[in-house]
């Protein structure tokens, strides 16, 4: 069997070579299309066109506006996820090349979203293309997803696909930046707002009011004192809690009637919305303040509201899981050695699939984290090709191991 797989790995490499220029063209086209969060329609349409061209048996856009293609109709439902939306350009003059004009330099394609996450989209689409070109089959249905909304609300578009549209993957593979390593988890994040209430009065007679900003002072000290005792995790380290915003009524000549601070909280696997809020409430409620997790407003390019709590849990995949083992075996068969194993510092759609829904999830992508959200945004094309090979072989090895 091992010999069969070794010759299959060679076949995959050959087809990856023959499809390489087509893949590069697709990636360049995606970079040319501006696709900020909530404005992904054109990138979704371009991806649907490519999914049709590579021979997907079914191609569709779901209600949240994700681009989807399916190959095979077997029992194991494998989902590949890479997002089409990008971070916004802050200052174009800092970019060595124009963000929407793809340029190949030193073997890498430069352009907005190359490293986050369009290089990943090209690799999963062409993984499916190789699989299809070789007519490989197994007891799997492979779904390739060009996801939306990830930059502002990671996991919300995937949640909609699973919970509203009813697609239930057995495993999820996310093609965010890992530099061809396997990512087995991520820290999570959460936004919490803490509010004090006072009583408004004219600033010339403050004795008639209650100053909400002054009430916030001991609350801030209490929040700061929590930091050393935030939950610790053997892999992900300690969480963080940063007071990142402070607001109140915009009335300089009044005693302020309210004051609200925003906390950016980084959380480790195992922390829940309830556990985070409970810890904060224990500190702030005795001081007269209230704490809550706000809703993240989300509007899809299809016009749907997907607002939901601004809570993105962390997660960790066991190295004993069939998903990890077959991912590692895929790397072993393609390159003769196991991949490095990492965890992500940033948050991904895995916050939903693994963190909320409990679906085994792993990360594997060609992009390098150092280029994400920078004017040096780029992805190495040899790594994109290698990632596509991984995505072609994985379903075969996964179903071999799990049927
Ligand atoms: Zn990303």
């Amino acid at each position: 069997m091992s010999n069969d797989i070794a010759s299959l790995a060679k076949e995959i490499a050959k087809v990856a070579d023959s499809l390489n220029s087509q893949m590069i063209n697709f990636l360049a086209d995606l970079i040319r299309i501006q696709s900020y969060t909530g404005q992904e329609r054109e990138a979704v349409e371009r991806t649907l066109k490519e999914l049709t061209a590579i021979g997907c048996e079914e191609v569709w856009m779901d209600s949240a506006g994700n681009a989807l293609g399916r190959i095979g109709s077997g029992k194991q439902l494998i989902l590949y996820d890479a997002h089409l939306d990008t971070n916004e350009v802050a200052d174009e003059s800092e970019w060595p090349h124009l963000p929407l004009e793809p340029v190949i330099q030193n073997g890498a394609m430069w352009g907005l979203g190359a490293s986050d996450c369009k290089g990943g989209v090209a690799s999963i689409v062409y993984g499916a293309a190789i699989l299809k070109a070789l007519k490989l089959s197994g007891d799997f249905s492979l779904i390739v997803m060009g996801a939306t909304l990830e930059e502002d609300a990671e996991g919300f578009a995937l949640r909609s696909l699973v919970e509203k549209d009813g697609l239930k993957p057995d495993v999820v593979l996310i093609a965010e930046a890992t530099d061809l390593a396997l990512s087995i988890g991520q820290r999570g994040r959460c936004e919490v707002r803490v509010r004090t209430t006072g009583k408004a009065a004219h600033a010339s007679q403050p004795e008639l009011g209650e100053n909400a900003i002054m009430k916030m002072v001991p609350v801030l000290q209490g929040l700061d004192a929590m930091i050393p005792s935030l939950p610790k995790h053997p892999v992900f380290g300690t969480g963080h809690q940063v007071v990142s915003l402070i607001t109140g009524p915009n009335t300089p000549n009044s005693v302020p009637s309210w004051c609200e601070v925003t906390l950016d909280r980084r959380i480790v696997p195992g922390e829940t919305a309830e556990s985070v809020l409970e810890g904060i409430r224990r500190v702030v409620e005795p001081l007269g303040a209230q704490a809550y997790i706000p809703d993240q407003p989300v509007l899809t390019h299809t016009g749907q509201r997907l607002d939901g709590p601004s809570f993105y849990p962390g997660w960790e995949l066991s190295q004993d899981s069939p998903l990890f083992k077959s991912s590692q075996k895929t790397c072993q068969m393609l390159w003769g050695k196991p991949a490095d194993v990492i965890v992500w510092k940033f948050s991904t759609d895995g916050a939903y699939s693994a963190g909320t829904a409990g679906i085994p999830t792993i990360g594997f992508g060609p992009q390098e984290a150092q280029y994400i959200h920078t004017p040096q945004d780029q992805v190495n094309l040899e790594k994109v090709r290698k990632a596509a090979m991984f995505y072609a072989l994985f379903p075969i090895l996964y179903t071999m191991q799990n049927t």
Side-chain angles (χ1 to χ4, degrees), residues 83 116-117 150-151 176:
H83 63 91
D116 187 18
C117 202
E150 197 276 345
E151 290 290 343
E176 290 264 16

